[in-house]
Amino acid sequence: MAKCPLCGSSLDWAELIEQMLALENADAIFQEREKFMETFESFVFKCPHCGEEFYGRNLPGKEAEKVFALLNEFKGSIDWENRKVRLRLNSLLALDTMLENWDKKVKG
């Protein structure tokens, strides 16, 4: 799971995505994977624990791509009016990772 590159605290993906929802064209960014990843990597996030800022490129790109997929897979995952994420993204990512590992084990 994502950790602050400066203080090492665990980060909540929903909180990170909500920081991006403040962008003017957020609704368009969240519809196209390439545009999302480009914006994500250059976006300056603020750690809720230490208050320091860092670029998205310092976070796991694979997780960011999964977050994008989850947000687009579930209708109503973002409350655009209040700029809030309705999904528990960290829990869904953990479940997804667990299922991937299980698949690898089963397939041998």
Side-chain angles (χ1 to χ4, degrees), residues 14-106:
E15 289 178 11
L16 295 174
I17 296 301
E18 286 173 1
Q19 290 180 38
M20 290 181 69
L21 293 178
L23 294 170
E24 266 185 47
N25 57 346
D27 51 342
I29 291 169
F30 281 80
Q31 291 178 10
E32 188 179 323
R33 191 183 77 72
E34 289 80 22
K35 193 180 289 187
F36 172 82
M37 289 306 296
E38 182 180 307
T39 304
F40 175 82
E41 290 175 0
S42 63
F43 190 82
V44 177
F45 292 97
K46 185 173 183 175
C47 176
H49 304 285
C50 68
E52 295 294 327
E53 295 181 337
F54 57 88
Y55 287 103
R57 65 178 163 261
N58 294 312
L59 296 173
K62 185 178 176 184
E63 285 185 28
E65 288 180 0
K66 287 182 181 183
V67 164
F68 174 80
L70 288 168
L71 290 172
N72 283 287
E73 191 172 325
F74 295 99
K75 277 193 182 244
S77 59
I78 297 176
D79 177 356
W80 289 102
E81 188 175 308
N82 295 311
R83 303 283 184 192
K84 292 282 184 194
V85 176
R86 293 180 176 156
L87 296 177
R88 295 181 184 261
L89 292 171
N90 283 19
S91 297
L92 290 171
L93 283 172
L95 178 62
D96 186 59
T97 302
M98 189 173 65
L99 290 172
E100 281 180 5
N101 290 336
W102 184 76
D103 279 348
K104 287 177 188 174
K105 206 177 228 183
V106 170

